[in-house]
């Protein structure tokens, strides 16, 4: 590894209106180095990476490439200078063959101007072999597992001429064996003298793969450690900005809630395995995981909207039939508000109709009348304090927080036994967040079981009595939420 | 940097929308765009032709759109769900042919032939629905296939021939008039009843609400516990039933079962329903809109017949042009082309 920096950021700052996303940050990347960026959500990782990749063009400070000051106007221009970015969401085209994906937009042609298929397949397989993969380049990419698609995406960026690769959470959606494959690829690329900026939530992975690690906190670069200096505890301490108690929470403490409402045994599907937990009367259970951990799919499966391979759901001592419908779940007393309000609400329709949606069969029997619906909706609108409270207002006219309140209110007309909420506070301002979290706490006090599923540790820690942590489809930790800290959650994923 | 962005050019349409946003009166006016189109056409033809506005001709318009109205009742459900049924014309022909065949060739007495025809049509609608709901075949394809299936069966049963002996029941439905030769045609009553039943179902039942919900936002409907697959099957079955009924009625009106008698109804039906203001994307519209659409359609067709100076070879062309203009006016008035360009 050489010590010559390929890329250097000096004193770079970036503002989004009132938010200082990056605050006088210095950063450098050497040739043949894997340099990891870590930090909490909102620490400035994404912003920095977008500046490096030419996506954000409007920032203060200097950007040097090979010692020359640059300012890219587009990601395209950055790529032309050898800086390529691999996004979290793959941009491959699954229907096309592996080779076509690899050479998208720069397919080799014959002298007649048609595509030279034979050469394309040969070149593709050769490129793959150089990285240690024996694959058939003729098959459509969708026939390969996600890990391989990720590899192809990396390779495509290299074929496009990138010397510097920026990888954003490359392993978040991969299975453990595929993670191994990807980390091996990163090693190979390092040996080929390519430079990599590696961004990940998974600190173990970072410690394994990185030569140097830069920790960002609140838009500032707080430290750059070499691989030998870095330990898990040190990284977490730097990320959170304080020394953490080495003795974390005792793992595997089950709650002693006297009365179990919901019990889940061995839930297994393609996105998660062997999920067991119970929810007591008046208890708020938090399920935490990074994006792609499968916790949102567990919530869907409980409500009958994701196919289970096996497992039992027992509510009030009575088991659900296998692969029950959402209607059945509602009748038995489950309520579910998903992470996307756009998917769960009819934005053009008035508030009251959105609230009575799941309960039409219980309101006015055969013919739901507007007056009956209004009567059913009005108390719950008041209960969650929707502003403005006019039930005839279309939901699309409300603010995000108030839309979320409508999504909650619809389950209160007939109080549920267990309320499942995915990302209850996503995209809300502080005031709305506090209000929604207050509502959740009140449900606990009223004796519902509540399950809060989230990738934001703050949300979970604010309301949950007990926390389950999921990573890659499995439960990796259970703890009481007593003096629980973010680091305890983050240590586990 | 934060200076106000002013468009250099604002089109007539944009200016109109600005006006619309600022004035509630304007909004009310434009919500009724379809009604204004109907009135405009009506006034135009009344002035352009002496015979158009006579009561007897107005009754003719109603009679002419009655068969279409029965088709359109079913199609309204389908479009509200954001689906399409391309098989209605062929299914109607099959319904008529089965019924005529049972009656004239096999000697069954009414009501068996009519019920069998409508029953077969309903069943085919059900099959398209199941194919689409259970196996995720788009209705565009499943009903296209169903159209061929029904057309093929019609050809097989009829051997391509017209059956001219049809039952009294179907003739009563299709061409009898209540109260003498100038009375109200039964076919109009059947059409009104069909539309009214459709209206009640859509407006006042849970199933109707589920249809709107599913059409507007399928995932939201599912999250509310709606069995969206079942809604699709039922809606396609309703469409099949309406097509079957329309087939029998059309047979009674023509006094014969003809393999190709209903061919033109597919396009006319979709045209009339959309013209009324029901969205092809689902979730918006309803039976009242369909009634307006039918009347616009009927007025246009009949009105052109009543202006003798128009070259009959140009009629189709003029109909198409007026339809396109009417649709344009609808979208401009209704503001359906939105600002968000990702939609």
């Amino acid at each position: 590894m050489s010590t010559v920096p390929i890329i250097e950021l000096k004193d770079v700052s970036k503002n989004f209106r009132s938010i200082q996303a990056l605050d006088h940050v210095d950063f450098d990347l050497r040739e043949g180095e894997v340099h990891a960026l870590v930090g909490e959500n909102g620490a400035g990782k994404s912003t920095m990476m977008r500046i490096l990749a030419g996506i954000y063009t409007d920032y203060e400070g200097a950007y040097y490439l090979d010692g020359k000051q640059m300012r890219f106007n587009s990601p395209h221009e950055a790529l032309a200078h050898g800086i390529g970015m691999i996004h979290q969401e793959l941009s491959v085209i699954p229907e096309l063959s592996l080779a076509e994906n690899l050479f998208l937009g720069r397919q080799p042609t014959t002298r007649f101007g048609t595509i030279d298929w034979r050469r394309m397949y040969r070149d593709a397989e050769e490129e793959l072999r150089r990285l240690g993969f024996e694959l058939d380049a003729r098959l459509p990419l969708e026939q390969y597992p996600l890990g391989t698609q990720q590899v192809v995406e990396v390779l495509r960026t290299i074929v496009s001429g990138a010397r510097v690769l920026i990888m954003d959470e490359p392993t978040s959606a991969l299975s453990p064996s595929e993670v191994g494959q990807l980390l091996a690829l990163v090693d190979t690329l390092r040996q080929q003298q390519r430079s990599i900026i590696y961004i990940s939530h998974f600190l173990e992975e970072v410690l394994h793969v990185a030569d140097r690690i830069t920790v960002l906190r609140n838009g500032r670069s707080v430290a750059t450690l070499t691989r030998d200096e870095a330990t898990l505890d040190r990284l977490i301490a730097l990320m959170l900005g304080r020394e953490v108690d080495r003795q974390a929470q005792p793992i595997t403490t089950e709650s002693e809630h006297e009365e179990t409402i919901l019990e889940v045994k061995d839930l297994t599907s393609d996105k998660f395995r062997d999920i067991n937990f119970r929810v007591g009367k008046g208890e708020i259970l938090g399920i935490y995981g990074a994006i792609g951990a499968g916790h949102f799919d567990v919530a869907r499966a409980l409500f009958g909207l994701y196919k289970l391979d096996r497992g039992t759901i027992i509510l009030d001592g009575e088991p659900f039939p296998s692969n029950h419908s959402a209607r059945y779940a509602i009748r038995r007393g489950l309520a579910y508000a998903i992470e996307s309000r756009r998917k769960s609400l009819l934005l053009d329709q008035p508030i009251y109709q959105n609230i009575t949606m799941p309960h039409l069969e219980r309101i006015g029997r055969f013919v739901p009348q507007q007056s009956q619906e209004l009567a059913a909706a009005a108390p719950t609108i008041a209960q969650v304090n929707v502003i403005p409270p006019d039930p005839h207002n279309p939901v699309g006219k409300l603010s995000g927080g108030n839309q979320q309140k409508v999504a909650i209110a619809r389950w209160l007309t007939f109080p549920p036994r267990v309320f499942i909420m995915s990302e209850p506070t996503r995209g809300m301002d502080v005031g709305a967040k506090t209000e929604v979290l207050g509502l959740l706490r009140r449900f606990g006090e009223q004796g519902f079981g509540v399950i809060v599923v989230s990738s934001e540790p703050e949300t979970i820690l604010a309301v949950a009595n007990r926390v389950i942590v999921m990573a890659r489809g499995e439960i990796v930790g259970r703890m009481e939420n007593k003096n629980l800290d973010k680091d305890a959650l983050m240590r586990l994923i | 940097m934060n200076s106000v962005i002013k468009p250099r050019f604002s089109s007539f349409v944009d200016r109109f929308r600005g006006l619309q946003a600022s004035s509630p009166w304007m909004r009310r006016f434009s919500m009724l765009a379809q009604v204004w189109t109907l009135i405009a056409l009506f006034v135009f033809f009344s002035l352009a032709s002496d015979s158009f506005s006579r009561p007897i001709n107005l009754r003719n318009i109603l009679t002419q759109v009655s068969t279409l109205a029965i088709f359109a009742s079913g199609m309204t459900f389908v479009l509200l769900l954001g689906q399409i049924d391309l098989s209605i014309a062929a299914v109607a022909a099959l319904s008529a042919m089965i019924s005529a065949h049972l009656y004239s060739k096999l000697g069954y007495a009414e009501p068996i032939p009519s019920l069998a025809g409508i029953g077969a049509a309903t069943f085919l609608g059900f099959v398209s629905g199941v194919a689409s709901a259970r196996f995720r075949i788009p209705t565009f394809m499943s009903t296209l296939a169903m159209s061929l299936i029904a057309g093929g069966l019609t050809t097989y049963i009829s051997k391509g021939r017209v059956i001219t002996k049809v039952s009294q029941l179907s003739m009563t439905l299709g061409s009898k008039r209540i109260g003498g030769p100038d009375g109200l045609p039964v076919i109009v009553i059947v059409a009104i009843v069909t539309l009214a039943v459709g209206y009640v179902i859509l407006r006042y039942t849970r199933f109707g609400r589920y249809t709107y919900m599913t059409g507007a936002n399928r995932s939201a409907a599912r999250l509310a516990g709606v069995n969206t697959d079942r809604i699709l099957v039922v809606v396609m079955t309703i469409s099949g039933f309406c097509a079957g009924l329309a087939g029998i009625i059309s047979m009674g009106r023509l006094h014969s079962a003809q393999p190709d008698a209903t061919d033109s109804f597919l396009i006319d039906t979709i045209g009339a329903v959309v013209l009324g203001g029901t969205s092809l994307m689902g979730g918006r519209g309803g039976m009242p809109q369909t009634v307006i659409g039918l009347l616009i359609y009927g007025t246009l067709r009949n009105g052109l017949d009543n202006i003798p100076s128009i070259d009959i070879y140009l009629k189709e062309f003029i109909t198409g042009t007026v339809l396109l203009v009417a649709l344009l006016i609808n979208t401009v008035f209704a503001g359906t082309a939105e600002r968000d360009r990702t939609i």
Side-chain angles (χ1 to χ4, degrees):
Chain A
M1 198 207 325
S2 96
T3 51
V4 185
I6 293 191
I7 288 183
E8 223 180 337
L9 293 184
K10 276 197 183 143
D11 209 23
V12 166
S13 299
K14 167 93 185 155
N15 293 318
F16 294 102
R17 295 204 195 95
S18 59
I19 302 155
Q20 183 89 6
L22 279 184
D23 190 0
H24 303 283
V25 169
D26 292 328
F27 176 82
D28 69 297
L29 179 71
R30 297 168 190 161
E31 190 168 5
E33 174 192 51
V34 177
H35 193 155
L37 269 182
V38 299
E40 285 188 278
N41 292 336
K45 288 174 296 183
S46 314
T47 310
M48 185 157 138
M49 166 176 94
R50 291 198 169 116
I51 287 174
L52 286 167
I55 297 170
Y56 291 154
T57 54
D58 178 24
Y59 54 88
E60 291 151 36
Y63 184 159
Y64 296 94
L65 179 68
D66 293 322
K68 273 183 295 192
Q69 189 168 353
M70 306 294 291
R71 188 164 277 249
F72 298 127
N73 291 315
S74 68
H76 196 76
E77 205 179 311
L79 185 59
H81 285 86
I83 299 164
M85 173 147 168
I86 292 136
H87 291 269
Q88 199 168 357
E89 315 254 310
L90 291 186
S91 60
V92 294
I93 303 171
E95 294 81 5
L96 297 185
S97 72
L98 195 161
E100 282 173 283
N101 268 291
L102 210 49
F103 293 105
L104 209 64
R106 53 180 66 76
Q107 297 95 331
T109 50
T110 63
R111 59 204 155 99
F112 304 113
T114 58
I115 291 174
D116 188 345
W117 290 96
R118 200 168 348 143
R119 207 176 106 206
M120 187 160 89
Y121 290 133
R122 201 187 52 221
D123 289 357
E125 283 175 12
E126 201 173 296
E127 294 280 356
L128 285 164
R129 209 168 299 128
R130 211 180 302 160
L131 290 173
F133 293 94
E134 285 288 343
L135 298 168
D136 183 353
R138 284 157 211 267
L139 286 182
L141 198 55
E142 61 192 348
Q143 294 190 15
Y144 287 106
L146 201 57
T148 310
Q149 298 188 18
Q150 180 81 267
V151 168
V152 171
E153 174 114 7
V154 172
L155 194 53
R156 178 169 74 186
T157 314
I158 294 172
V159 170
S160 323
R163 299 182 288 148
V164 175
L165 292 171
I166 305 171
M167 299 171 91
D168 179 20
E169 297 285 353
T171 58
S172 64
L174 303 185
S175 71
S177 66
E178 290 173 333
V179 171
Q181 190 184 31
L182 191 95
L183 295 183
L185 173 68
V186 170
D187 260 337
T188 315
L189 292 172
R190 171 173 29 213
Q191 276 155 29
Q192 294 178 356
Q193 288 299 302
R194 299 196 196 269
S195 313
I196 294 168
I197 300 172
Y198 192 93
I199 294 145
S200 180
H201 270 106
F202 301 107
L203 298 179
E204 298 278 2
E205 208 176 281
V206 166
L207 287 167
H208 175 81
V209 80
D211 297 308
R212 286 192 300 158
I213 302 168
T214 290
V215 183
L216 292 178
R217 186 174 72 229
N218 295 332
R220 289 205 188 89
S221 163
V222 289
T224 298
L225 310 174
T226 64
R227 188 206 297 248
D228 303 330
E229 295 165 339
T231 63
L232 191 57
D233 285 324
R234 186 134 184 235
L235 285 182
I236 292 176
L238 285 166
M239 282 163 69
L240 300 179
R242 59 192 140 80
E243 284 305 316
V244 290
D245 186 5
R246 262 195 152 278
Q247 214 53 39
Q249 296 293 309
I251 289 174
T252 330
T253 49
E254 273 296 352
S255 86
E256 302 303 325
H257 265 88
E258 60 283 5
E259 198 186 327
T260 301
I261 300 182
L262 178 75
E263 188 174 2
V264 164
K265 286 182 192 160
D266 303 324
L267 285 196
T268 297
S269 181
D270 61 336
K271 296 265 179 68
F272 49 85
R273 286 170 299 285
D274 304 317
I275 305 297
N276 291 285
F277 60 81
R278 49 178 79 211
V279 181
K281 192 165 190 289
E283 183 185 32
I284 303 180
L285 172 72
I287 305 184
Y288 172 72
I291 303 216
H295 49 326
F296 295 126
D297 302 299
V298 170
R300 267 185 258 278
L302 280 176
F303 198 67
L305 292 173
Y306 200 88
K307 194 168 175 291
L308 286 169
D309 294 333
R310 60 191 164 80
T312 327
I313 302 167
I314 302 165
L315 184 64
D316 292 324
E318 225 182 292
F320 279 25
S322 64
N323 281 311
H324 59 281
S325 65
R327 166 88 2 223
Y328 178 86
I330 294 172
R331 285 191 186 135
R332 284 293 303 275
L334 288 191
Y336 178 42
I338 62 165
E339 58 273 19
S340 158
R341 291 183 285 276
R342 188 173 280 275
K343 276 190 180 168
S344 64
L345 296 170
L346 300 174
L347 296 179
D348 291 339
Q349 302 301 323
I351 294 175
Y352 80 89
Q353 286 196 9
N354 273 285
I355 287 180
T356 54
M357 256 170 91
H359 309 296
L360 287 179
E361 63 175 6
R362 293 191 259 201
I363 299 170
R365 292 291 150 217
F366 185 66
V367 182
Q369 291 288 347
Q370 188 177 336
S371 57
Q372 292 165 326
E373 287 188 58
L374 283 171
T380 64
I381 293 176
Q383 205 177 333
V384 300
N385 191 25
V386 177
I387 296 166
D390 179 7
H392 294 282
N393 233 357
V395 170
K397 294 249 165 88
L398 300 175
S399 68
N402 280 297
Q403 287 183 13
Q404 182 70 304
K405 287 187 210 161
V406 173
I408 295 174
R410 64 156 60 146
W411 299 107
L412 302 180
T413 314
F414 299 92
R417 301 289 294 145
V418 177
F419 202 134
I420 308 163
M421 285 207 75
S422 292
E423 292 297 9
T425 58
R426 177 184 282 177
M428 288 183 197
D429 60 55
V430 184
K433 257 185 196 172
T434 319
E435 255 185 292
V436 168
L437 293 179
L439 277 172
L440 289 179
R441 274 189 217 109
R442 199 142 42 119
F443 295 157
E445 286 154 19
Q446 286 167 1
F448 308 169
V450 180
I451 302 177
V452 177
V453 186
S454 180
S455 290
E456 293 171 4
E458 294 84 356
T459 305
I460 300 265
L461 294 175
V463 292
N465 305 122
R466 203 155 53 83
V467 182
I468 287 178
V469 181
M470 280 183 70
R472 306 195 198 290
E474 280 168 2
I475 294 182
V476 293
R478 298 161 189 271
M479 45 209 134
E480 293 284 344
N481 186 8
K482 285 182 188 143
N483 314 316
L484 200 57
D485 244 325
K486 266 198 247 176
D487 68 274
L489 298 183
M490 288 163 55
R491 193 184 299 270
L492 285 165
I493 60 168
Chain B
M1 285 294 272
N2 285 333
S3 63
V4 179
I5 299 162
K6 276 202 174 161
R8 275 173 304 156
F9 167 79
S10 80
S11 69
F12 167 73
V13 171
D14 287 339
R15 251 179 270 169
F16 177 80
R17 294 223 178 101
L19 192 64
Q20 213 179 341
S22 61
S23 137
W25 186 85
M26 210 53 206
R27 224 173 301 147
R28 228 165 285 142
F29 174 85
S30 46
M31 276 195 330
L32 295 170
Q34 284 82 356
V35 178
W36 295 117
T37 308
L38 176 60
I39 292 174
L41 281 175
F42 200 87
V43 170
F44 171 76
F45 285 120
S46 303
L47 297 175
S49 152
D50 303 331
S51 52
F52 178 78
S53 56
R54 284 189 202 147
I56 194 156
N57 188 50
L58 299 185
R59 196 195 63 198
N60 277 346
I61 295 180
L62 291 184
T63 314
Q64 283 160 358
V65 297
S66 287
T67 318
L68 189 61
I70 297 166
F71 278 114
S73 306
M75 188 59 84
T76 305
F77 281 86
V78 178
L79 294 192
L80 279 177
L81 203 59
Q83 305 288 341
I84 192 91
D85 188 346
L86 300 177
S87 67
I88 53 169
V91 165
L94 178 66
S95 158
M97 196 53 76
I98 286 178
S99 141
H101 189 76
L102 286 176
Y103 180 76
S104 68
K105 303 283 153 87
L106 305 178
Y108 283 96
E110 284 289 6
I112 292 169
S114 292
L115 290 181
I118 295 174
T122 311
F123 178 71
L124 291 190
F126 173 78
V127 173
S128 310
V130 170
S132 292
R134 189 84 184 74
F135 302 101
R136 307 266 174 245
I137 304 169
T139 43
F140 189 94
M141 287 317 295
S142 65
T143 59
L144 192 62
M146 191 53 70
S147 174
L148 291 176
I149 291 171
L153 285 175
T154 309
T155 313
Y156 176 73
I157 294 168
S158 67
K159 304 284 183 281
R161 283 189 291 268
V162 175
I163 298 178
T164 48
K165 187 185 163 201
V166 300
S167 70
Q168 193 55 49
L169 175 68
S170 66
M171 291 209 284
T172 305
L173 290 175
S175 36
K176 194 166 181 262
R177 287 184 184 142
I178 292 175
D182 286 333
L184 189 63
V186 177
I187 189 171
V188 174
I189 298 170
V190 176
I192 290 172
V193 169
T194 316
L195 287 165
V197 170
Y199 174 72
V200 169
I201 292 176
L202 281 176
R203 178 74 180 73
Y204 291 108
T205 69
R206 210 155 65 219
F207 167 76
R209 281 284 290 281
Y210 286 165
T211 305
Y212 276 97
M213 271 160 62
T214 309
N217 189 340
R218 215 173 94 98
S219 70
R222 292 192 145 252
L223 283 162
V226 177
N227 186 339
T228 52
D229 287 347
R230 189 184 300 159
I231 302 292
L232 176 58
V233 172
V234 175
V235 161
M236 297 312 284
T237 309
I238 289 175
S239 179
F241 170 84
C242 289
L245 179 62
I248 302 287
I249 297 256
S250 147
M251 172 176 80
R253 197 167 166 229
L254 302 170
H255 298 268
S256 63
Q258 307 169 16
D260 55 359
T262 53
D263 281 358
S264 67
F265 276 108
L266 172 61
I267 302 298
D268 289 350
T269 304
I270 297 173
V273 176
V274 174
L275 198 55
T278 296
S279 162
L280 280 169
M281 298 300 147
R284 280 178 207 214
M287 278 312 161
Q289 282 87 336
T290 296
V291 170
I292 302 294
L294 287 165
L295 292 176
I296 294 176
Y297 218 79
T299 304
L300 184 56
R301 287 263 153 131
N302 176 287
L304 290 173
D305 286 339
N306 275 288
I307 303 178
S309 56
I310 289 180
D311 185 341
I312 57 160
Y313 295 108
L314 262 179
K315 227 185 91 179
E316 199 80 19
F317 170 80
I318 294 172
T319 314
T321 311
V322 174
L323 278 185
L324 188 60
V325 171
L327 284 171
L328 282 177
I329 291 174
N330 283 359
T331 48
V332 171
F333 272 74
T336 31
E338 310 253 352
R339 273 172 185 278
D340 187 344
R341 304 223 164 109
T342 55
I343 294 173

